[in-house]
Amino acid sequence: MVKVAVLGASGGIGQPLSLLLKLNECVTELSLYDIVNSPGVAADLGHINTPARVTGYLPADEGLKHALTKAHLVVIPAGVPRKPGMTRDDLFKINAGIVRDLATGIAQHAPNAYVLIISNPVNSTVPIVVEVLKKHGVFDPKKIFGVTTLDVIRASTFSSEISCKDPRDIRVPVVGGHSGPTIVPLLSQISPPQSFTQEQIEKLTHRIQYGGDEVVKAKDGAGSATLSMAQAGARFASSILDATVKGKAGIIEPSYVYLEADNEHCANLKKAVEGLEYFSYNVELGPGGIHKIHGLGEISEHEKKLLAAAIPELKLSIEKGISFINSKL
Ligand code: NAD
Ligand code: LMR
């Protein structure tokens, strides 16, 4: 029995993400929670002839508790999206409280679940979830993931437009966090190897860092990336299920995760990022969640500068998330 819960399931991301999860044959129960419309989305998806039983919950009648109880995996796309002119950090005011309340529900009703956090600003919402779980004594650093998959997907797509290769065959590690200058593409480590001019590197880097803005601008007030994010979220969820349910080894996904102080696998990475508590890099998944966090490897001078610019901003966003919980709970 594999129950997956989506919190914020009626939204722009929530609906297509729930559709893709309904198509995942590993899922036997899909539990959809939102403050509006979730029973309708559940009824609609429930007619698709795949194994998952679909249920929809609203806040009334302990909906969050029922949505979460026995969940193996919880995906959180709940919260407001950006409009043109806004930064992701501008969403903190509303989304921090939403994510805190949902994390409290997870701590109480699904303390062993794997949790994927999509709600922005990811650089702060992941520390918020972790602090809530810590307060309830149920934090497992191997199970909490900030979803930065879309940055890596964008990096493949945008790079392929220069190299004219199939984007699915291109992998570019993207490290740091998930907002503007904290998004650090390591184009020097592109696979298969490819050389770019400095001008191409700078243009590509900027496009990957501000890919989200491209969509926000094109949607012109109607929100931010939803469909590409749903695909990215479903890919990550599927990788988690492959590793933790099917026992597949060697799966690597990028993710913004907590760097444990005493874990030998993150020691070098933590040193390279000036002791940051959270950082996004390639994470190798195993049967218990995070098996290993890969190091940065060789990076170019240009990438060193990008990293140096990312670290102070990441530090501020992390502290903002941590102090939001510690001053309010
Ligand atoms: P949306 O407004 O279309 O949907 C959000 C949904 O959350 C709505 O259905 C709303 O009712 C629901 N919601 C609000 N408060 C809730 C609560 N307390 N409990 C449960 N559900 C609640 O927004 P969207 O376009 O789906 O974006 C959602 C979030 O994802 C935004 O914060 C956005 O910035 C973020 N996002 C992140 C990435 C990423 O790469 N990590 C990519 C795209 C968007
Ligand atoms: C994205 O990268 O598309 C998301 O973080 C949404 C946004 O606000 O840009």
Side-chain angles (χ1 to χ4, degrees):
M1 296 300 289
V2 180
K3 175 170 171 177
V4 176
V6 181
L7 312 182
S10 309
I13 296 168
Q15 291 203 37
L17 173 61
S18 300
L19 168 63
L20 293 170
L21 290 169
K22 171 70 172 125
L23 302 182
N24 186 321
E25 299 199 351
C26 188
V27 181
T28 56
E29 188 175 350
L30 184 60
S31 157
L32 308 182
Y33 176 82
D34 201 299
I35 52 174
V36 291
N37 291 342
S38 31
V41 178
D44 190 355
L45 290 179
H47 289 192
I48 296 173
N49 64 340
T50 55
R53 190 173 74 88
V54 190
T55 43
Y57 299 97
L58 293 166
D61 305 322
E62 298 195 289
L64 184 58
K65 173 180 169 182
H66 295 301
L68 287 170
T69 301
K70 296 198 176 135
H72 177 81
L73 171 64
V74 180
V75 192
I76 314 182
V80 291
R82 284 198 288 163
K83 290 193 187 318
M86 291 171 82
T87 66
R88 292 180 184 82
D89 189 56
D90 292 333
L91 304 174
F92 186 95
K93 236 185 232 163
I94 299 180
N95 290 353
I98 293 176
V99 170
R100 174 201 56 208
D101 296 347
L102 296 174
T104 304
I106 292 169
Q108 291 167 339
H109 308 301
N112 297 317
Y114 296 90
V115 183
L116 308 189
I117 301 135
I118 293 172
S119 317
N120 270 318
V122 167
N123 294 352
S124 301
T125 51
V126 174
I128 286 174
V129 171
V130 167
E131 288 304 305
V132 171
L133 297 181
K134 276 185 188 167
K135 282 206 178 251
H136 286 80
V138 293
F139 172 50
D140 180 345
K142 297 190 167 34
K143 292 187 164 181
I144 310 300
F145 302 86
V147 182
T148 57
T149 321
L150 186 51
D151 299 319
V152 175
I153 287 175
R154 284 180 177 139
S156 299
T157 306
F158 301 161
S159 304
S160 78
E161 289 170 12
I162 295 180
S163 64
C164 301
K165 292 194 181 109
D166 185 330
R168 291 167 299 181
D169 297 335
I170 296 179
R171 285 191 81 107
V172 179
V174 182
V175 305
H178 180 68
S179 73
T182 73
I183 298 171
V184 179
L186 302 181
L187 289 162
S188 66
Q189 296 180 9
I190 190 168
S191 154
Q194 151 108 31
S195 53
F196 297 110
T197 64
Q198 187 58 25
E199 191 189 346
Q200 285 174 325
I201 289 175
E202 282 170 24
K203 276 198 179 145
L204 255 181
T205 299
H206 186 271
R207 192 164 179 217
I208 296 163
Q209 290 186 317
Y210 296 94
D213 297 56
E214 221 174 88
V215 182
V216 169
K217 196 166 163 228
K219 290 199 174 177
D220 197 16
S224 56
T226 53
L227 303 173
S228 50
M229 182 59 237
Q231 191 272 339
R235 166 180 136 176
F236 198 145
S238 169
S239 292
I240 293 279
L241 296 176
D242 282 349
T244 63
V245 177
K246 295 185 185 164
K248 279 195 194 166
I251 298 174
I252 293 176
E253 284 290 351
S255 181
Y256 181 71
V257 294
Y258 180 81
L259 301 177
E260 292 174 84
D262 52 355
N263 184 326
E264 52 168 324
H265 291 314
C266 359
N268 284 340
L269 180 58
K270 206 169 161 89
K271 215 164 128 196
V273 298
E274 298 175 19
L276 281 180
E277 264 188 282
Y278 294 85
F279 197 75
S280 176
Y281 201 60
N282 279 339
V283 170
E284 194 172 327
L285 302 171
I290 296 176
H291 171 62
K292 184 176 175 182
I293 301 171
H294 288 212
L296 281 174
E298 282 283 305
I299 65 172
S300 70
E301 286 307 312
H302 175 68
E303 291 158 357
K304 281 182 192 158
K305 282 189 198 139
L306 294 175
L307 194 62
I311 289 173
E313 184 164 328
L314 272 172
K315 204 169 270 178
L316 285 178
S317 305
I318 293 165
E319 276 162 14
K320 190 168 173 179
I322 293 174
S323 62
F324 177 75
I325 295 305
N326 293 324
S327 56
K328 294 231 171 137
L329 257 191

